[in-house]
Amino acid sequence: MAPVVRFRSAVALLGRFPALSGVDLTVEPGEVVLLEGANGAGKTTVLRACAGLVPLVSGEAEVLGVDLRADRRSVRRRVGLLGHSGALYEDLGAEENVRFAVRAAGGDAAAVVPALSLLGIEGRLRTTAVGRLSTGQRRRVALAVLVARSPSLWLLDEPHAGLDAAGRDLLDDLVRSAVAAGATVLLASHETDRAAAVAGRTVTMAGGRVQPREPARVA
Amino acid sequence: MSDRPRPATTGGGTALLGAAALVALATTIVLGLRLPPTVEQGPYARLIAVHPPLAWAAYLAFAVCALASVLWLWRRTRAPKWDRLAVASAEVGVVFCALTLVTGSIWGRPTWGVWWTWDARLTSTALLLALFAGYLALRKVSVDPETRARRAAIAALVAVADVPIVHFSVDWWRTLHQGRSLAQITPQDDLDGSYTSVMLLGFVAMTLLYGWLVAHRSRVEALEARLEAEGLDLALEERRAESEVVEAVAR
Amino acid sequence: MWRDALLVAGKDLRIEARSRVATNQVAPFALVVLVLFGFALDPDRGVLARASAGLFWVAVLLSSLLAVQRSFALEGGDATADGLRLSGLDPAGIFLGKAAAVAAQLAALQVVLALGVVVLYDADLGGPALLLATCAAATVGLAAAGVVYGALAAGLRVRETLLPLLLLPVVAPVLLGATRAWEAGMGLSVDDGWRWAQLLAVFAVIYVTLGVVAFGALLEES
């Protein structure tokens, strides 16, 4: 089967800064891959590039069979990006936000309520304006959007941040069930221990590139 | 225009163009100053040698800017040189536009005693100046060249789409108020066609001047782009060096 | 495209219903502008009544700046419109939806301003067919041009100051045409008001078309 993500020497600019200076990355279907690295290594940019948000100036990049250098837009409906700030409308309630996101992506509106319940957003929380919710609750709403849309590729940027212990367990379960349902997950996290437990393999980034795998050292 | 710019902005072609422009401009000025003053406007009638030509050059500049923007936006013809032409033309156009307004103002003042007549053409030109000043402001604010070129090209087209509307609306507006109009100043009867011929020479001179200025400005832009590209290579090297440091530390 | 437009328009209007920015901020601003004109021009000599068409439309124009700014501000923060880009919505649909929402707000605003002009300036709003037709055409044109330029200026730190510079020269003909049409309708001039209304309609068509065609390219941040 064709890889879900395939980057070869991909170079991407943010303004004039080369955020990605030649990334080689392959992610097979059904994998859970963890991106780790210091701040500024380019992890967020790789995720955004997979979502088709970042233009590439050279190299090859293919996500879900779509060549990103030719067409960045069509891939967006099929991936789900969970960023640092949720792309939520502050004045609308949780349910309204999820409903809008699902309908915009052409998804099934019936998935909205189950997703909210799964994330523990019940009753009053559903109709309160998102701007009034706590960070952890907003994360949950953003995750509910992801669950309800059920994209083929999940792109999670620091997903554990802001969640309490129960939330983190829930997230790990969500990742597992997404993979079981056929999705692929690429996540970036500083919490390597926690994330490595869920991830199938780890990729380290620095200076806008993927570090080659260290051969196992004999201690 | 070759793709690899030389480290200077002159070249055989443009030097010739510049010389021709200079000659034409000088001749226009000399002949213009030798035109006899008219009864109604005294010496100011001689501004006919420069005012309409300046206006023409301004409109030409903006038309070229729009055309270059279209060529840039259309995938098949997309090339950085069109973006460079667009900005060069717009900048030169803004200058000519401002000069048109100044000469128009100077022309009208002695006749009617006011600095600004709400003449249809002057007012349209003023709006045109505002539209392209906005275009240039937009360019200054964007950071990376690709976005900037795209936004600017769209802005240019959107502005140009407005031009006919501006023209008609201002025209209809001012024909109601048959007030002062520069069209009235233009000498209808001139003694031996001398006014018209100097004006025509003026058109030629301004067109040549426009071409020369745009050629130089585009070259400057091309040089800047080359500088940026080299800066990018440097930045890429530094970025990759970061990763090597991390690798070394990890070992 | 139409489905997406309805979705976006509905979302924008629902947000407006919750946050009430147009009703609590923009409408009062517009009325304050009308009052300020009263201070600036001497109300005793009938100047205000004669100029009421122009003053009305200037107030509409200034308010439209605020409405457009708000339309893009509500998409959130610095990254702006990341959510919109990722949503999978058709950009032309996003444009139409946003423009429709802005147009709806402007229409409501014009009702308020019309009342204001009648009350504050003692204007006589005769010839309602022409006045309404003008309002319709001008509103569509303003909303379309506004959303196009809002997108051009969006995501830039200087958006607040750049948008007026970009938008106002472009919509100056709308001000011109709408005022002339209203003056004709109100009996203050003998001009052919319908000709002006047609010009406004042409403007509207041009800018709606431009928006539909160009919005995809505009929405891309980089």
Side-chain angles (χ1 to χ4, degrees):
Chain A
M1 275 223 296
V4 168
V5 174
R6 199 178 71 88
F7 279 32
R8 290 276 168 277
S9 308
V11 174
L13 297 179
L14 287 181
R16 292 190 183 135
F17 175 70
L20 299 182
S21 57
V23 168
D24 295 308
L25 181 65
T26 308
V27 178
E28 301 292 340
E31 272 199 285
V32 178
V33 175
L34 166 66
L35 284 177
E36 62 160 9
N39 290 336
K43 309 189 294 294
T44 304
T45 312
V46 165
L47 292 176
R48 288 173 58 93
C50 289
L53 287 179
V54 177
L56 297 150
V57 298
S58 72
E60 292 170 23
E62 211 180 81
V63 170
L64 292 170
V66 175
D67 179 7
L68 290 182
R69 293 202 65 192
D71 169 23
R72 281 187 285 139
R73 262 187 242 167
S74 55
V75 80
R76 292 176 193 170
R77 272 192 186 211
R78 301 160 64 193
V79 309
L81 177 66
L82 183 75
H84 294 296
S85 57
L88 299 172
Y89 293 106
E90 305 277 307
D91 300 293
L92 295 181
E95 183 167 345
E96 288 170 325
N97 264 290
V98 178
R99 195 172 294 277
F100 177 74
V102 168
R103 289 177 65 192
D108 181 11
V112 172
V113 174
L116 286 167
S117 307
L118 193 58
L119 268 296
I121 308 202
E122 307 278 6
R124 273 303 218 47
L125 279 180
R126 285 195 193 162
T127 49
T128 318
V130 163
R132 299 230 187 103
L133 299 177
S134 74
T135 321
Q137 287 166 330
R138 279 193 227 191
R139 263 287 134 131
R140 286 169 181 253
V141 177
L143 279 169
V145 166
L146 220 51
V147 169
R149 283 180 60 204
S150 65
S152 318
L153 174 61
W154 287 42
L155 302 163
L156 307 176
D157 199 355
E158 309 284 347
H160 296 108
L163 287 177
D164 54 18
R168 292 172 185 204
D169 289 331
L170 182 54
L171 176 62
D172 294 341
D173 288 336
L174 282 176
V175 168
R176 290 193 193 97
S177 36
V179 171
T184 311
V185 176
L186 185 57
L187 66 141
S189 181
H190 283 301
E191 310 208 8
T192 9
D193 300 329
R194 173 121 211 164
V198 176
R201 79 183 151 101
T202 305
V203 164
T204 312
M205 284 193 69
R209 286 204 297 190
V210 168
Q211 302 298 99
R213 232 208 217 135
E214 286 284 315
R217 274 183 289 171
V218 178
Chain B
M1 233 179 287
S2 68
D3 265 27
R4 232 177 115 32
R6 304 191 198 99
T9 62
T10 55
T14 34
L16 204 58
L17 189 59
L22 192 60
V23 165
L25 196 58
T27 319
T28 312
I29 293 178
V30 165
L31 286 182
L33 286 172
R34 283 170 57 182
L35 284 173
T38 64
V39 174
E40 304 96 44
Q41 303 141 44
Y44 293 97
R46 292 180 277 186
L47 278 169
I48 196 180
V50 286
H51 174 79
L54 280 172
W56 145 258
Y59 277 84
L60 173 67
F62 296 138
V64 168
C65 177
L67 192 60
S69 297
V70 168
L71 286 170
W72 193 93
L73 280 173
W74 198 21
R75 275 182 198 269
R76 236 178 292 166
T77 50
R78 179 170 297 184
K81 67 178 174 185
W82 297 128
D83 180 51
R84 296 200 280 263
L85 179 60
V87 65
S89 201
E91 281 189 12
V92 174
V94 162
V95 170
F96 277 126
C97 212
L99 287 176
T100 308
L101 294 177
V102 167
T103 50
S105 176
I106 295 177
W107 201 349
R109 167 97 170 136
T111 319
W112 297 307
V114 291
W115 283 114
W116 180 260
T117 76
W118 286 89
D119 167 66
R121 279 179 319 208
L122 267 192
T123 311
S124 299
T125 311
L127 263 180
L128 196 64
L129 179 61
L131 285 174
F132 279 90
Y135 169 87
L136 290 177
L138 184 65
R139 286 195 72 107
K140 281 223 176 350
V141 171
S142 308
V143 166
D144 82 275
E146 175 83 14
T147 326
R148 183 181 60 189
R150 184 168 3 98
R151 287 187 179 206
I154 296 180
L157 288 183
V158 174
V160 160
D162 205 31
V163 168
I165 305 224
V166 166
H167 175 79
F168 280 114
S169 58
V170 175
D171 219 41
W172 290 353
W173 179 39
R174 297 319 285 163
T175 51
L176 259 199
H177 308 249
Q178 266 303 346
R180 318 131 173 175
S181 161
L182 279 185
Q184 291 174 338
I185 316 186
T186 313
Q188 297 301 340
D189 52 339
D190 59 275
L191 311 167
D192 45 277
S194 60
Y195 275 84
T196 326
S197 50
V198 175
M199 185 172 78
L200 286 176
L201 182 61
F203 275 109
V204 171
M206 289 304 169
T207 310
L208 289 173
L209 184 62
Y210 162 77
W212 183 70
L213 287 171
V214 166
H216 274 273
R217 180 68 183 86
S218 308
R219 294 254 179 86
V220 169
E221 197 70 18
L223 288 175
E224 277 185 19
R226 198 170 85 168
L227 189 64
E228 248 183 62
E230 284 167 15
L232 174 63
D233 291 333
L234 204 61
L236 268 175
E237 273 179 40
E238 285 174 10
R239 183 85 165 130
R240 288 188 184 141
E242 266 177 50
S243 74
E244 267 136 46
V245 167
V246 173
E247 260 180 77
V249 165
R251 282 194 214 290
Chain C
M1 177 178 87
W2 295 106
R3 185 195 71 101
D4 287 352
L6 274 173
L7 198 57
V8 171
K11 182 258 298 176
D12 275 8
L13 289 173
R14 200 174 304 135
I15 293 182
E16 170 52 34
R18 296 293 156 71
S19 60
R20 300 203 170 280
V21 164
T23 38
N24 291 356
Q25 295 173 25
V26 183
F29 165 78
L31 289 172
V32 166
V33 166
L34 287 186
V35 171
L36 289 180
F37 283 140
F39 289 179
L41 308 166
D42 189 352
D44 287 334
R45 283 175 299 155
V47 169
L48 284 178
R50 277 200 310 274
S52 46
L55 300 178
F56 171 86
W57 283 105
V58 169
V60 168
L61 225 64
L62 295 178
S63 310
S64 70
L65 284 176
L66 294 183
V68 169
Q69 297 271 26
R70 171 67 180 153
S71 177
F72 284 89
L74 65 83
E75 292 303 330
D78 297 331
T80 63
D82 238 9
L84 271 188
R85 276 178 230 128
L86 285 172
S87 64
L89 290 165
D90 177 15
I94 299 178
F95 166 74
L96 287 174
K98 281 206 161 288
V102 169
Q105 289 170 41
L106 284 181
L109 214 59
Q110 281 168 40
V111 169
V112 170
L113 280 174
L115 282 172
V117 156
V118 165
V119 167
L120 291 172
Y121 301 163
D122 197 23
D124 173 22
L125 297 182
L130 179 56
L131 297 191
L132 281 173
T134 308
C135 284
T139 305
V140 171
L142 278 178
V147 172
V148 168
Y149 275 101
L152 268 172
L156 301 171
R157 282 182 319 258
V158 294
R159 181 185 67 210
E160 285 87 16
T161 39
L162 189 61
L163 182 64
L165 172 62
L166 291 180
L167 187 57
L168 289 179
V170 169
V171 297
V174 174
L175 173 63
L176 189 51
T179 309
R180 294 294 150 299
W182 264 47
E183 280 176 354
M186 286 160 70
L188 293 172
S189 85
V190 293
D191 198 359
D192 175 12
W194 288 102
R195 176 176 68 159
W196 288 108
Q198 279 166 27
L199 185 68
L200 292 174
V202 168
F203 182 92
V205 166
I206 291 180
Y207 278 89
V208 168
T209 313
L210 267 175
V212 165
V213 165
F215 212 67
L218 280 177
L219 209 52
E220 294 302 310
E221 162 188 60
S222 49

